Amino acid sequence: MGLGHGSAIFRSAAYSGLKIGQVFEAAIPIAFSLSAFHTLFKRENSLGQNIIIQSIGASSGVVVAGAIFTIPALYIL
């Protein structure tokens, strides 16, 4: 589930980063989608799982920022 959220945020952050030159913080959209998911399926006591999924998703934002700012620079060189 964390990889699914991470890949969705990764794709949208890469698109916005390449389009406007700014990458957004990924932890906030993942927190909103997780709270909606857990409310929808009425899951309880999933705080540890939320933290792990948020960590995976937030790291995807950092990876995409590094990729979209360094790969074009390497291409120019």
Side-chain angles (χ1 to χ4, degrees):
M1 191 159 128
L3 292 176
H5 276 86
S7 67
I9 296 295
F10 184 86
R11 283 185 260 130
S12 61
Y15 179 77
S16 69
L18 289 171
K19 203 68 160 160
I20 61 174
Q22 186 175 359
V23 179
F24 59 90
E25 178 60 36
I28 296 169
I30 290 176
F32 288 144
S33 65
L34 282 176
S35 65
F37 177 79
H38 290 300
T39 303
L40 183 67
F41 291 110
K42 305 208 182 340
R43 296 182 68 184
E44 295 181 8
N45 300 327
S46 59
L47 181 63
Q49 185 180 12
N50 285 348
I51 292 172
I52 291 170
I53 293 171
Q54 249 182 318
S55 300
I56 293 170
S59 66
S60 71
V62 174
V63 169
V64 74
I68 68 168
F69 295 135
T70 55
I71 291 175
L74 291 173
Y75 180 73
I76 292 171
L77 291 176

